[in-house]
């Protein structure tokens, strides 16, 4: 049996801002989202009380919480803090898989301190994070990644939760379906339509049935509700792609509007790639139709695509080539892959005939 | 209406027809077999509206008529019965079906056969006749290369090009391509159409290599008649990509080697390749072929050397091992020839010895290596 810890910083960006600007403490703060079309990157717990969430348009957030203070992001600071907490993790194990700046999985089955109790390790790590960075983190402890991730959410903020092997099935049966990591709003809604509200309801469905309804993901749902998750904590995970996608409140029918949205998404992707100096050779668009069929289309170039104008041109062309078959979309996405930093992994790009 | 039939003979026919029953039919009646009796001949029809299989057999009947019988329960019943004569009695008012075996009686609810959707008929169409064995060959050698991409409808089928005495079948998923041609065809037509892969899969399983197949087609449908069976399928109404344009005309580097050795080496090396890309690398110099793969995530790595004949410049090229293996597996010749140009252009795979009356060409796009 493995011992996995999931550590998740509490309202990370917002907490860093409150730490560094005492006048923000105890007040509703949103990092990002100040611009006309900006979205909130992180909201302090004071703001969350009003319903402000990350990825929410700034205007919406302001409506929910008129006193909301918008602050600019300071990624260099977040990165420094992120490195600090990773150093702490590595005092315990080298099996650390960062998911982003503010969360990571740790496999502490064998650890450098020869501690038997993963709970004790999680407790120590949280204390050290608080002492060394002045920020709080939550932890989930269990025997696989899926359960550890769910557990870290249970007593958030500044708390932790252990799910023991003998408790896992019971815990999952009682868990509302929308709390399952990997089941988003839309899937949750579909499940509700099928009278699946809790893990117990989900468990009653056969693997075959779930696969028929949800495709490949159905098999995943079948397994996770039985606490089956064999994924290893992978310390060498390299970012394979940089992508951004958006589900729209209303389906888009107008190709011109789709193009405008694709340009926005391309802009976000390009900005991230530029910040990390990690461009790629393959540009992909993702389209999801109102009836949830999903398609991706890509084009690969001999060199990295570094110019925003070129990314935009490619995504527009890919849309033009495929829009006739699709009609309307509920989601659009832009991804670049074949990234410079990923190439050390030796993974090439499958080429296609140019019909 | 009442008729008697051998349980095993009926089961055999139903199993042929059953292939075209879809898993989620748009109409409930499409979960049924349509039974039509006329003149002591039973015609069984099953359809998912795109593909329809009809098969006929002799029965002993007291009258003519039609009824739709739920497929699953009927098949299950027949599978559980030892071979014996059985009798069907149809109540013509409520379409109730009663089956009598040596052991007892089984009742199930049928439906009005008149409600079964109309089946496309081969009217005023062109037709050609060919040996089933040739068609089976053609399907087996092309089907694997079709696409599953719903946005590229045309590629979800096999492209048939009939050119008088020649039939060419083409399949591609934009990564690999097969062009299979056989000559000696008795045909007076020149036309082309795309047959969906589902229909070809069914056809391949239903065909007996000893049969002759009459293939006919109109604008919307293709019909295959063989033995006592007919299959009608809706053609894919889409333009097939101009595949000739992607066949390289000048691939100056040629690698010749044993097909079996190449395939078994690829199979071993692929075990060590990254599981999502199946990327293997061929390093080719005159007289020397090295095949290797690695998966850095798991520190897996494998290298093999293979005897070959190579005429060309030294070259390092990557492929998806799965594609290459699929292609090698449908070839029959002892030796194969790989014609290459550059590491980012399509490679041609050919058998060294030809099979008389047929011609096969395969293309595969490489994996562009990262460094």
């Amino acid at each position: 049996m493995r011992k996995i810890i999931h550590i998740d910083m509490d309202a990370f960006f917002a907490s860093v801002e409150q730490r560094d600007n005492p006048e923000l403490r105890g007040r509703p703060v949103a990092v990002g989202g100040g611009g006309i079309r900006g979205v909130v990157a992180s909201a302090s717990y004071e703001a969350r009380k009003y319903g402000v969430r990350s990825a929410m348009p700034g205007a919406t957030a302001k409506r929910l919480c008129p006193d909301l203070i918008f602050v600019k992001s300071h990624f260099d600071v977040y990165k420094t803090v992120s490195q600090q907490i990773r150093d702490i993790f590595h005092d315990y194990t080298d099996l650390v898989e960062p998911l982003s700046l503010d969360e990571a999985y740790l496999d502490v089955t064998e650890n450098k301190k020869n501690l038997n109790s993963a709970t004790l390790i999680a407790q120590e790590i949280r204390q050290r994070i608080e002492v060394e960075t002045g920020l709080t983190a939550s932890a989930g402890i269990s025997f696989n990644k899926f359960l550890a991730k769910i557990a870290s959410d249970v007593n958030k903020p500044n708390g932790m939760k252990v799910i023991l092997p003998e408790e896992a099935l019971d815990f999952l049966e009682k868990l509302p379906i929308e709390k399952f990591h990997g089941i988003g709003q839309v899937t949750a809604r579909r499940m509700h339509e099928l009278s699946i509200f809790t893990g117990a309801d989900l468990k009653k469905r056969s693997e075959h049935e779930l696969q028929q309804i949800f495709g490949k993901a159905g098999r995943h749902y079948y397994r996770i509700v039985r606490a089956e998750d064999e994924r290893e904590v992978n310390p060498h995970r390299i970012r394979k792609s940089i992508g951004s996608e958006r589900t729209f409140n209303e389906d888009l029918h107008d190709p011109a509007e789709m193009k405008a949205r694709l340009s926005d998404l391309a802009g976000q992707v390009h900005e991230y790639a530029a910040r990390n100096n990690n461009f790629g050779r393959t540009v992909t668009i993702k389209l999801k139709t109102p009836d949830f069929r999903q398609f991706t289309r890509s084009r690969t170039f001999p060199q990295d695509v570094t110019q925003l104008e070129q990314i935009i041109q490619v995504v527009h062309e890919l849309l033009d080539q495929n829009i006739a078959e699709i009609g309307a979309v509920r989601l659009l996405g832009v991804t670049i892959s074949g990234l410079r930093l990923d190439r050390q992994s030796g993974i090439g790009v499958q080429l296609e005939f140019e019909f | 209406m009442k008729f008697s039939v051998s349980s095993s003979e009926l089961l055999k026919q139903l199993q042929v027809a059953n292939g075209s029953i879809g898993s989620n039919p748009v109409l409930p009646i499409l979960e049924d077999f349509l039974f039509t009796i006329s003149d002591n001949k039973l015609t069984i029809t099953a359809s998912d509206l795109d593909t329809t299989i009809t098969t006929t057999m002799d029965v002993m009947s007291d009258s003519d008529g039609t009824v739709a019988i739920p497929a699953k329960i009927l098949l299950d019943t027949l599978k559980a019965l030892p071979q014996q004569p059985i009798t069907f009695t149809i109540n013509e008012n409520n379409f109730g079906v009663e089956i009598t075996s040596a052991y007892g009686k089984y009742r199930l609810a049928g439906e009005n056969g008149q409600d079964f959707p109309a089946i496309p008929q081969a009217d005023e169409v062109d037709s050609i006749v060919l040996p089933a064995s040739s068609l089976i060959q053609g399907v087996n050698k092309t089907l694997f290369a079709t696409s599953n991409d719903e946005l590229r409808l045309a590629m979800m089928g096999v492209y048939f090009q009939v050119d008088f005495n020649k039939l060419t079948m083409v399949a591609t998923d934009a990564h690999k391509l097969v062009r299979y041609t056989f000559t000696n065809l008795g045909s007076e037509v020149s036309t082309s159409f795309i047959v969906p892969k589902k229909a070809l899969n069914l056809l391949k399983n239903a065909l007996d290599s000893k049969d002759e197949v009459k293939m006919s087609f109109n604008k919307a449908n293709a019909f295959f008649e063989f033995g006592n069976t007919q299959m009608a399928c809706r053609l894919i109404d889409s333009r097939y990509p101009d595949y000739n344009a992607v066949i390289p005309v000048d691939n100056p580097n040629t690698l010749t080697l044993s097909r079996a050795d190449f395939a078994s080496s690829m199979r071993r090396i692929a075990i060590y390749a990254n599981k999502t890309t199946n990327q293997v690398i061929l390093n080719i110099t005159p007289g020397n072929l090295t095949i290797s793969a690695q998966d850095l995530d798991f520190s897996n790595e494998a290298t093999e050397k293979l005897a070959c004949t190579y005429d060309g410049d030294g070259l390092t090229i990557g492929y998806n091992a799965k594609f290459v293996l699929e292609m090698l597996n449908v070839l029959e010749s002892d030796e194969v020839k790989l014609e290459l140009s550059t590491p980012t252009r399509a490679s041609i795979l050919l058998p060294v010895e030809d099979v008389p009356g047929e011609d096969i060409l395969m293309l595969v796009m490489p994996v562009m290596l990262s460094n």
Side-chain angles (χ1 to χ4, degrees):
Chain A
M1 189 72 66
R2 294 179 296 159
K3 293 172 185 170
I4 311 290
I5 303 176
H6 178 249
I7 302 271
D8 193 5
M9 298 297 289
D10 301 320
F12 184 50
F13 300 169
S15 300
V16 172
E17 296 303 330
Q18 286 180 318
R19 180 193 72 175
D20 297 347
N21 304 288
E23 70 276 16
L24 297 176
R25 290 180 198 164
R27 303 179 61 185
V29 175
V31 177
I36 315 171
R37 306 196 62 170
V39 291
V40 176
S42 168
S44 72
Y45 281 92
E46 294 82 1
R48 291 185 192 198
K49 275 189 212 135
Y50 293 88
V52 178
R53 296 277 177 274
S54 48
M56 183 180 271
T60 314
K62 187 80 182 168
R63 206 163 48 241
L64 290 171
C65 176
D67 295 331
L68 188 64
I69 306 166
F70 290 99
V71 297
K72 276 206 177 121
S73 56
H74 297 91
F75 271 95
D76 44 340
V77 183
Y78 310 151
K79 268 191 195 153
T80 311
V81 179
S82 184
Q83 195 50 55
Q84 275 178 291
I85 62 172
R86 277 180 206 180
D87 290 344
I88 297 174
F89 300 155
H90 280 278
D91 283 348
Y92 295 85
T93 177
D94 287 330
L95 287 177
V96 176
E97 178 179 333
L99 294 176
S100 57
L101 289 177
D102 62 341
E103 51 172 324
Y105 289 115
L106 284 65
D107 185 332
V108 295
T109 318
E110 285 170 26
N111 58 76
K112 297 179 182 175
K113 308 248 170 186
N114 285 323
L115 290 169
N116 242 330
S117 163
T119 312
L120 208 64
I121 295 175
Q123 186 54 36
E124 266 190 43
I125 289 177
R126 291 181 49 238
Q127 261 166 13
R128 283 190 54 190
I129 290 177
E130 190 159 3
V131 171
E132 292 175 32
T133 72
L135 299 165
T136 63
S138 298
I141 303 108
S142 196
F143 57 91
N144 64 36
K145 282 162 104 174
F146 169 70
L147 284 166
K149 172 115 183 170
I150 288 192
S152 68
D153 213 31
V154 173
N155 291 318
K156 208 168 187 27
N158 200 12
M160 54 192 256
K161 162 84 183 165
V162 188
I163 302 177
L164 298 170
E166 56 270 30
E167 302 166 348
L169 293 178
D170 217 36
F171 176 86
L172 290 172
E173 282 188 7
K174 294 201 181 84
L175 196 68
I177 212 70
E178 55 275 14
K179 294 262 182 190
F180 278 73
H181 177 64
I183 296 184
Q185 270 181 35
V186 175
T187 308
R189 218 180 302 138
R190 283 236 43 207
M191 289 206 175
H192 290 168
E193 283 164 17
L194 298 161
S195 299
I196 301 174
F197 295 96
T198 63
D201 298 333
L202 178 60
K203 214 170 177 175
K204 285 188 202 126
R205 306 305 176 104
S206 73
E207 185 169 1
H208 180 72
E209 188 182 357
L210 291 174
Q211 257 178 347
Q212 286 226 313
I213 306 168
F214 301 103
K216 214 165 151 190
R219 194 180 135 72
H220 177 65
Y221 303 149
Y222 179 86
R223 288 169 51 85
I224 56 175
V225 74
R226 287 167 176 73
E228 292 171 19
D229 175 12
E230 307 302 327
R231 289 173 301 158
E232 311 239 345
V233 171
N234 180 357
H236 302 298
R237 202 157 91 159
I238 301 166
R239 185 176 263 285
K240 305 275 184 221
S241 62
I242 298 170
S244 183
E245 60 181 51
R246 168 104 198 257
T247 303
F248 306 107
N249 293 332
E250 282 172 21
D251 299 336
L252 302 187
H253 297 269
D254 177 9
E257 190 172 357
M258 293 179 204
K259 282 187 184 170
R261 301 306 185 111
L262 283 172
S263 299
D264 291 347
L265 292 166
Q268 291 164 21
V269 168
H270 181 265
E271 190 188 326
Y272 189 95
R275 202 160 56 219
N276 296 283
N277 186 20
N278 192 15
F279 289 99
R281 296 194 285 202
T282 302
V283 178
T284 305
I285 62 166
K286 176 165 149 188
L287 311 153
K288 202 185 267 181
T289 62
D291 59 349
F292 290 93
R293 289 178 306 145
Q294 184 175 303
F295 302 98
T296 56
R297 280 293 171 268
S298 61
R299 192 174 302 161
T300 298
F301 297 87
Q303 279 94 32
D304 284 345
V305 181
T306 55
Q307 298 302 311
L308 176 58
E309 294 70 27
Q310 195 186 357
I311 300 179
I312 290 177
Q313 189 194 336
V314 174
V315 297
H316 286 185
E317 282 173 16
L318 288 170
L319 183 78
D320 282 336
Q321 284 161 15
N322 294 286
I323 194 60
E325 309 260 6
I326 293 200
V329 295
R330 69 186 312 278
L331 171 147
L332 287 172
V334 172
T335 304
I336 57 173
S337 54
L339 300 175
R340 186 178 64 81
L341 296 179
D342 181 31
R343 270 183 237 141
Q344 288 120 7
S345 71
I347 291 172
V349 180
Q350 173 65 53
L351 301 172
E352 291 198 350
F353 298 125
E354 302 244 343
F355 284 122
Chain B
M1 179 172 71
K2 196 168 173 174
F3 63 93
S4 300
V5 61
S6 148
S7 65
S8 57
E9 275 303 300
L10 179 61
L11 178 60
K12 210 170 107 194
Q13 300 306 321
L14 293 181
Q15 279 171 330
V16 170
N18 188 45
S20 62
I21 294 184
S23 49
N24 271 320
V26 274
L27 300 168
I29 201 167
L30 295 175
E31 291 177 350
D32 297 354
F33 292 116
L34 175 67
F35 277 46
T36 307
I37 293 187
S38 164
D39 231 358
N40 284 324
K41 276 231 178 302
L42 166 63
T43 303
I44 301 159
T45 304
S47 178
D48 66 357
L49 296 184
D50 285 331
T51 316
T52 303
I53 296 182
T54 311
T55 164
T56 49
M57 63 186 297
D58 293 329
V59 294
M60 296 276 291
S61 173
D62 68 348
S63 62
D64 292 353
T66 175
V67 64
I69 306 179
K72 184 167 186 311
I73 186 166
L74 179 57
L75 278 171
D76 287 348
T77 307
L78 293 176
K79 280 184 209 156
L81 275 180
Q83 177 175 0
Q84 61 187 280
I86 50 172
T87 305
F88 285 73
T89 312
I90 316 296
N91 179 329
E92 267 144 79
N93 296 316
N94 63 6
F95 306 102
V97 179
E98 186 180 277
I99 305 169
T100 312
S101 78
Y103 305 108
K105 288 183 189 305
Y106 323 94
R107 280 211 186 92
L108 59 160
E111 291 177 79
N112 187 348
Q114 308 292 344
D115 295 340
F116 205 86
I119 303 309
Q121 295 299 330
D123 53 341
E124 289 181 42
V125 290
D126 296 321
S127 73
I128 49 179
V129 177
L130 67 164
S133 55
S134 305
L135 190 57
I136 295 173
Q137 282 279 343
V139 173
N140 280 338
K141 289 181 173 174
T142 51
L143 203 54
F144 78 92
T146 52
S147 166
N148 292 315
D149 187 337
E150 288 178 47
L151 269 194
R152 291 165 162 167
L153 265 186
M155 295 190 204
M156 292 181 77
V158 173
Y159 186 48
F160 282 65
Q161 274 183 305
V162 184
D163 187 13
F164 303 107
N165 67 340
K166 196 168 91 179
L167 170 62
T168 301
M169 297 166 72
V170 180
T172 182
D173 63 356
H175 299 134
K176 53 190 183 289
L177 183 148
V178 187
R179 185 190 69 192
Y180 180 78
T181 303
F182 51 85
T183 45
N184 309 331
L185 199 66
S187 141
E188 279 162 18
V189 287
S190 172
T191 183
S192 61
F193 48 88
I194 308 167
V195 183
K197 63 196 295 178
K198 181 188 170 184
L200 292 174
N201 238 322
L202 291 175
L203 184 67
K204 175 177 88 154
N205 295 326
L207 278 175
D208 184 329
S209 58
K210 295 188 291 290
D211 284 338
E212 284 234 303
V213 188
K214 183 175 159 208
M215 213 165 85
S216 25
F217 24 85
N218 57 24
K219 256 198 129 43
N221 297 286
F223 305 89
F224 300 88
E225 286 176 65
F226 46 96
N228 55 352
T229 306
Q230 192 204 64
M231 190 175 101
C233 71
R234 187 178 296 174
L235 298 171
I236 295 179
D237 181 17
S238 187
R239 196 186 62 81
Y240 204 77
D242 180 10
Y243 69 89
N244 278 312
V246 302
I247 301 178
V249 287
D250 182 26
N251 276 13
N253 308 304
T254 56
L255 172 74
T256 311
L257 73 172
S258 148
R259 181 175 66 92
D261 291 352
F262 190 20
S264 43
S265 176
M266 284 297 253
R267 219 170 283 126
R268 287 188 295 269
I269 297 294
I271 300 169
Y272 291 82
N274 178 287
K275 286 294 161 285
T276 45
T277 61
N278 293 303
Q279 172 188 311
V280 296
I281 299 174
L282 274 60
N283 197 302
I284 319 166
T285 53
N288 225 332
L289 168 63
T290 308
I291 306 180
S292 63
Q294 57 175 347
D295 187 349
L296 285 182
D297 287 351
F298 297 93
S299 310
N300 295 341
E301 200 173 339
T303 310
E304 287 191 12
K305 278 195 194 316
L306 233 68
C308 68
T309 311
Y310 183 63
D311 182 11
D313 304 328
L315 196 64
T316 300
I317 189 165
Y319 294 110
N320 180 328
K322 204 170 143 259
F323 296 165
V324 177
L325 276 169
E326 284 174 333
M327 293 164 57
L328 289 173
N329 283 341
V330 302
L331 290 177
E332 286 155 67
S333 76
D334 290 340
E335 291 211 301
V336 291
K337 186 162 74 173
L338 204 52
E339 296 181 351
L340 308 148
S341 100
T342 71
T344 58
R345 311 275 289 274
S347 311
I348 301 178
L349 180 69
L350 298 167
V352 169
E353 311 96 47
D354 287 329
V355 177
E358 69 171 54
D359 173 62
I360 188 163
L361 173 138
M362 302 195 186
L363 291 187
V364 60
M365 278 307 273
V367 169
M368 182 165 71
L369 300 174
S370 55
N371 35 35

